[in-house]
Amino acid sequence: SSSTARTESFGIPVRSTTRFECRFAKRCAGICAGGGIAFPALDRFFGAAMAKGKQETSAVRQRTKIWRALENYGWDALLASIAAFHVFMAPYTKVEESFNVQAMHDIIYHHHHLEKYDHFEFPGVVPRTFLGSLFVSFLASPVVLAMEFFHFPKLYGLIVVRLMLGSFILTTLGFFRRQVKMQFGSQVEAFFAILTASQFHLLYYSTRPLPNIFALGLVNLAYAFWLKRNFKATLRCLVCATMIFRCDIVLLLGPIGLEFLLIRSVSFWEAFRCCIVTSFLCVGISVLVDSLMWQRLVWPEFEVLWFNSVLNKSSEWGTHVFYWYFSSALPRSLLAAYPLCLVGMLIDRRLLPYGLPVFLFVMLYSKLPHKELRFIIPSVPMFNLSAAVAAARILGCSVITSVASYSNYPAAYALKSLHKIVEDGSTKAADCLAHVDSFAAMNGISRFCENKSPWRYSKEEGITIEEFHHGNFTYLLNEHSSIPGFKCLFAVDGFSRLQIQFSLPPIIVLMQPKVYVHGNLQSQDVGMKSWPGCV
């Protein structure tokens, strides 16, 4: 018995091993060990089988981890690479970014020596907060100090701080994207990322140290919490962005907060308490830090609000017509997403509560004479969501029409299947004469679909159902489910109609048998084959 077991074990090839085989090997090994039986060859086989199974399991787990990483962070990597490309292609900054750029430089290189800071010599028209610059400098300082140790040019420090700012903005955008996936599905998420990647301004500005961009990070968080239906967190993020970075975000906070009250997402007193507490906290932090940095008592965003809105001096830097955001800024920033975002809000009622407050934000901002694209850049992510929903629906309609079109040639698929079944036999097929009726000829079959010998084809017209058994036809392809003297071998479904339903998917393609393939009962070839049959 030992030699027999050894011979059989040597005859078993070591191949791809399943988990069941590994468990079987362990059990057999345990039985042999418990019974005091020793089979060296069997032990080697079981050892090889278990080792192979462990290797394959490890490889599968590794591939699963890679796939999950790509699924979770692949879109983030794409957007980050595009933003980084913009940084390396255009590392320098302009006057609008000068305060935060100089502030980050001074924080990293001068530390607590405030007398060396640039803003005392060039304070600008209005004071700006240092909180954003302090945050980015905290993230970038270890890298900048390491580069300084290795004597890299100082310009590389500018690239680092911009990359750190971009990382923060894209992290918040990624959080919003993941909420999009949870609420609207992976197709909408994919289109959201693709549309964002195809647009220039959002990713280009994401690394620019502007107050609008610092506010954009908080607005992205607010949008994400909004999709999660965490309404208080949404209000906190918008209040923080308003009180610290851009006072004009109140034009977005107002419509969103009013909507929350109208649909009773939060009560008035809950919203009031949330906004007041967050406002006092943010103003307190801003006044404390910025008064220290400016060496005087100051709340920067209040002075900005007074300068831009009350004194209306921002118009000295140029004005545009009321509709400029809709006729120029949004088309340039959204590109293909501009018309799609309107379509999305029309075809998906879930988007209207999200899109309408953002649309009102742009409308209210249009009242200010001085206009720049960066002022309304917080509206771009939400408009991209609406456009992504529309693009996903359009793709779905395209897929549905493609399926319907694919199913519109049932006769061709029937003839192809007939060829395959007949020619797959072990014995050479006898002479086969197939009749194709008018319906089959009009639904996919042409001379290109015909095979060579032993196949012959007939498209003779005017033959009645009762006359078919008088002929010498081996097979029939027609629209009739039953013909005397013939056996229905199989049927092929074709497109019938589209049906609208109040569930997912909203539109389905209905199919029904269109072409039937019949075999002559007197043909030996028909009787010897295995056929699917007609239901």
Side-chain angles (χ1 to χ4, degrees):
S1 61
S2 176
S3 61
T4 303
R6 187 179 297 110
T7 303
E8 290 176 354
S9 64
F10 279 124
I12 300 176
V14 178
R15 55 174 177 77
S16 178
T17 311
T18 64
R19 292 185 179 179
F20 171 76
E21 290 170 321
C22 291
R23 291 196 296 267
F24 175 73
K26 290 179 181 179
R27 290 175 181 174
C28 290
I31 292 171
C32 293
I37 305 172
F39 296 126
L42 196 61
D43 291 341
R44 286 195 295 271
F45 165 70
F46 286 150
M50 287 188 287
K52 186 72 173 179
K54 289 180 180 179
Q55 291 176 359
E56 291 188 351
T57 303
S58 177
V60 170
R61 288 176 180 174
Q62 189 67 24
R63 287 194 297 269
T64 302
K65 288 181 180 179
I66 294 173
W67 174 251
R68 286 179 180 173
L70 288 174
E71 186 179 12
N72 292 329
Y73 305 108
W75 295 120
D76 294 331
L78 172 65
L79 300 181
S81 62
I82 296 173
F85 173 79
H86 291 315
V87 172
F88 288 108
M89 290 300 294
Y92 305 104
T93 57
K94 296 186 73 174
V95 63
E96 297 90 348
E97 308 155 67
S98 62
F99 171 78
N100 282 305
V101 167
Q102 308 296 0
M104 290 186 289
H105 169 273
D106 294 341
I107 292 169
I108 292 174
Y109 289 100
H110 299 320
H111 307 298
H112 61 281
H113 301 290
L114 296 181
E115 67 278 3
K116 297 181 180 181
Y117 277 42
D118 180 83
H119 67 283
F120 290 117
E121 186 176 358
F122 302 100
V125 179
V126 290
R128 288 293 184 183
T129 182
F130 274 84
L131 290 176
S133 300
L134 284 167
F135 174 71
V136 175
S137 300
F138 174 77
L139 298 177
S141 57
V143 181
V144 174
L145 293 176
M147 291 194 306
E148 190 177 14
F149 178 79
F150 290 104
H151 305 290
F152 281 86
K154 188 185 267 191
L155 178 63
Y156 287 11
L158 175 60
I159 294 175
V160 170
V161 295
R162 288 190 56 193
L163 290 175
M164 290 299 175
L165 174 59
S167 299
F168 166 67
I169 299 301
L170 293 181
T171 299
T172 61
L173 188 64
F175 180 49
F176 175 54
R177 177 185 56 76
R178 282 185 282 275
Q179 301 311 312
V180 168
K181 180 180 179 180
M182 292 180 65
Q183 298 296 327
F184 295 93
S186 57
Q187 282 189 356
V188 175
E189 176 206 23
F191 276 110
F192 175 83
I194 292 170
L195 288 171
T196 304
S198 66
Q199 297 162 352
F200 169 76
H201 292 89
L202 182 60
L203 295 179
Y204 179 78
Y205 274 112
S206 66
T207 63
R208 295 281 168 184
L210 293 160
N212 312 82
I213 302 307
F214 287 109
L216 175 63
L218 292 171
V219 172
N220 288 338
L221 292 177
Y223 287 158
F225 287 124
W226 193 1
L227 292 182
K228 290 184 68 175
R229 303 188 64 80
N230 189 340
F231 303 110
K232 289 184 180 180
T234 301
L235 294 175
R236 291 189 187 101
C237 290
L238 293 174
V239 169
C240 185
T242 302
M243 297 298 173
I244 295 178
F245 296 111
R246 286 296 302 190
C247 58
D248 40 29
I249 296 297
V250 71
L251 300 177
L252 180 61
L253 172 63
I256 292 177
L258 182 61
E259 180 183 286
F260 288 175
L261 295 178
L262 291 176
I263 63 177
R264 299 183 179 181
S265 300
V266 292
S267 67
F268 174 79
W269 289 112
E270 286 178 332
F272 180 78
R273 184 167 58 251
C274 174
C275 292
I276 288 297
V277 171
T278 306
S279 297
F280 276 111
L281 183 62
C282 292
V283 171
I285 294 174
S286 178
V287 170
L288 178 64
V289 174
D290 293 316
S291 297
L292 176 64
M293 301 302 291
W294 284 95
Q295 297 290 289
R296 64 183 178 89
L297 185 63
V298 61
W299 174 24
E301 279 311 297
F302 177 77
E303 296 196 15
V304 173
L305 177 66
W306 186 266
F307 181 86
N308 288 336
S309 300
V310 179
L311 301 179
N312 196 25
K313 288 191 175 183
S314 61
S315 58
E316 297 176 2
W317 277 262
T319 60
H320 290 91
V321 294
F322 175 82
Y323 53 83
W324 183 82
Y325 284 131
F326 297 99
S327 63
S328 179
L330 286 176
R332 286 186 288 120
S333 59
L334 294 175
L335 300 179
Y338 189 44
L340 286 175
C341 70
L342 301 176
V343 175
M345 283 187 279
L346 291 175
I347 63 177
D348 194 331
R349 289 181 294 179
R350 294 177 298 171
L351 290 171
L352 195 59
Y354 298 109
L356 185 59
V358 179
F359 176 79
L360 291 176
F361 163 69
V362 180
M363 285 285 292
L364 293 172
Y365 227 134
S366 298
K367 294 288 291 181
L368 294 177
H370 179 59
K371 296 177 177 65
E372 294 186 39
L373 187 149
R374 60 188 173 96
F375 293 167
I376 60 164
I377 206 164
S379 67
V380 172
M382 191 58 75
F383 286 147
N384 278 346
L385 167 59
S386 181
V389 171
R393 291 291 182 88
I394 292 172
L395 176 64
C397 292
S398 178
V399 170
I400 290 172
T401 53
S402 297
V403 171
S405 298
Y406 175 84
S407 306
N408 225 10
Y409 310 95
Y413 299 122
L415 184 58
K416 182 180 178 181
S417 300
L418 178 62
H419 288 156
K420 180 177 175 60
I421 295 174
V422 172
E423 294 174 4
D424 277 353
S426 57
T427 59
K428 185 177 180 180
D431 184 60
C432 298
L433 176 58
H435 180 268
V436 178
D437 74 348
S438 299
F439 179 82
M442 291 188 297
N443 286 276
I445 294 180
S446 65
R447 293 293 184 186
F448 285 100
C449 300
E450 297 177 356
N451 280 3
K452 297 180 180 180
S453 179
W455 287 94
R456 293 183 298 121
Y457 303 89
S458 170
K459 294 185 179 180
E460 183 181 352
E461 298 181 3
I463 305 177
T464 64
I465 295 179
E466 292 76 15
E467 293 175 344
F468 275 116
H469 72 279
H470 296 304
N472 59 344
F473 299 117
T474 314
Y475 301 102
L476 305 177
L477 288 86
N478 54 44
E479 58 182 322
H480 304 291
S481 60
S482 177
I483 296 179
F486 287 81
K487 174 186 177 182
C488 186
L489 306 179
F490 61 91
V492 175
D493 291 343
F495 172 74
S496 175
R497 61 188 175 88
L498 297 177
Q499 177 175 303
I500 300 175
Q501 58 182 13
F502 296 100
S503 60
L504 294 177
I507 301 176
I508 59 174
V509 178
L510 293 182
M511 313 280 283
Q512 69 179 36
K514 291 288 187 177
V515 175
Y516 297 88
V517 178
H518 304 273
N520 196 319
L521 291 174
Q522 298 178 359
S523 172
Q524 293 183 355
D525 199 40
V526 172
M528 294 173 59
K529 302 289 182 182
S530 177
W531 303 96
C534 299
V535 179

